[in-house]
Amino acid sequence: MAATGQAPTATEYIVHHLTHLSTAKQKVIVDFSIVNVDTVIFSVLMLGITLWILHSAARRATSGVPGKFQAFVEMLVELVEEQSKSIVHGDRTFIAPLALTVFVWIVLMNAIDLIPVDLLPWIAGLFGVHYLRPLPTADLNGTLGMSFGVFLLMIYYGIKVKGFGGFLHELVAAPFGTSKNPLIAIPLGIANLGLNIIEYLAKMVSLGMRLFGNMYAGELLFFLIALLGGFVAMNTTGVFMAIGHVIAGTAWLLFHILIVLLQAFIFMMLTMVYIGQAHEGH
């Protein structure tokens, strides 16, 4: 930040808001010893609220005329159930509730981006916390962590449905097939295994990167719009910038609500698609 008593520059403002509350300052690209505390706190908090919402809906469910809250949750449940029927051909006892939980959880995490960008860091500053980045889905560590969980579920269901031997056989026998001739089977097996490893890793990385990229871009645009308000002065230019700040902020807020919901829906759908593919053979 700028020196005491001076307003930060645009670069300092954005860098400050992009800095995590972490256990240490990261000096290299990959460092698993560092934990972004704000990402952990807000993601766990939103998960707790998600579970509370779904538990409350299940506890209040009645066979009579549903209230607005119950009707809304039932609409979400029916949406996820219909999608899971067409995607996952097998036991959906765990998958459909998982997809619903993922959808609501990501919606709540994404919705943090709709809170004024300076509000939560300002509140944290009152308690001596100088850095706070509250949007978990704009942290690549958070989104890759969720996609890694989906990766583990793909492996789990692949083994559960096909058996351990069947799962390993598919890794080395698909998509190019195999041969009874060892001279042909070994190169084919290596090629099949390499492509399957790439496929699994590509699914995991792309799933996390897609959510991260969209939310990071949205977060950064909110910072840029907030800077317009910081340049407002008592002159003609300041008045026009204030008007632009309000118009741009409102327009992006309304559009970003769609992004918040759409990215959660895409992550949920791809989660079911990948798990559904684990139920099927090549």
Side-chain angles (χ1 to χ4, degrees):
M1 294 295 286
T4 304
Q6 296 180 355
T9 64
T11 301
E12 290 172 335
Y13 176 83
I14 292 177
V15 169
H16 181 268
H17 278 280
L18 290 177
T19 304
H20 286 280
L21 172 62
S22 57
T23 54
K25 185 176 181 180
Q26 188 166 338
K27 299 180 179 179
V28 294
I29 296 178
V30 179
D31 190 344
F32 292 106
S33 66
I34 297 176
V35 177
N36 291 337
V37 180
D38 42 15
T39 297
V40 175
I41 291 175
F42 282 96
S43 59
V44 171
L45 177 61
M46 293 302 105
L47 178 59
I49 295 176
T50 297
L51 297 177
W52 175 78
I53 291 174
L54 298 178
H55 175 73
S56 298
R59 185 166 49 87
R60 298 178 185 177
T62 61
S63 58
V65 179
K68 294 180 180 180
F69 177 66
Q70 181 180 338
F72 175 71
V73 175
E74 286 180 355
M75 181 180 67
L76 287 179
V77 172
E78 291 176 3
L79 170 67
V80 174
E81 181 64 21
E82 288 299 319
Q83 295 295 333
S84 65
K85 282 181 181 179
S86 61
I87 295 174
V88 181
H89 306 292
D91 184 14
R92 300 187 309 277
T93 305
F94 173 75
I95 297 173
L98 169 68
L100 177 62
T101 303
V102 166
F103 175 74
V104 178
W105 184 26
I106 295 179
V107 165
L108 291 179
M109 286 193 292
N110 289 351
I112 295 176
D113 205 20
L114 304 177
I115 300 173
V117 295
D118 290 309
L119 179 59
L120 294 178
W122 175 76
I123 294 174
L126 298 177
F127 297 92
V129 178
H130 301 293
Y131 297 102
L132 184 71
R133 193 177 176 192
L135 183 60
T137 47
D139 181 3
L140 186 57
N141 298 283
T143 57
L144 283 182
M146 291 186 289
S147 63
F148 180 70
V150 175
F151 168 79
L152 294 179
L153 287 173
M154 288 191 290
I155 301 297
Y156 169 76
Y157 277 103
I159 295 175
K160 179 181 179 181
V161 173
K162 304 163 189 172
F164 186 71
F167 176 74
L168 292 180
H169 179 266
E170 187 176 80
L171 287 179
V172 297
F176 297 130
T178 186
S179 172
K180 293 182 179 179
N181 186 339
L183 296 179
I184 300 177
I186 292 177
L188 282 176
I190 294 174
N192 288 329
L193 179 61
L195 282 179
N196 279 299
I197 291 175
I198 293 173
E199 179 185 357
Y200 275 108
L201 292 178
K203 287 178 179 178
M204 180 187 72
V205 173
S206 63
L207 185 62
M209 288 291 291
R210 182 182 294 105
L211 178 59
F212 161 74
N214 282 276
M215 297 311 300
Y216 179 84
E219 179 191 42
L220 192 59
L221 191 52
F222 272 125
F223 293 156
L224 295 175
I225 293 173
L227 283 172
L228 288 176
F231 289 122
V232 172
M234 296 305 295
N235 52 51
T236 306
T237 304
V239 172
F240 283 118
M241 293 189 72
I243 295 174
H245 170 72
V246 173
I247 294 176
T250 303
W252 181 243
L253 175 67
L254 295 175
F255 182 72
H256 201 60
I257 293 174
L258 175 62
I259 296 177
V260 164
L261 297 173
L262 183 61
Q263 290 304 314
F265 180 76
I266 291 174
F267 196 100
M268 178 198 73
M269 289 297 296
L270 288 177
T271 297
M272 289 194 293
V273 168
Y274 293 159
I275 295 177
Q277 290 175 345
H279 282 70
E280 302 170 355
H282 285 277

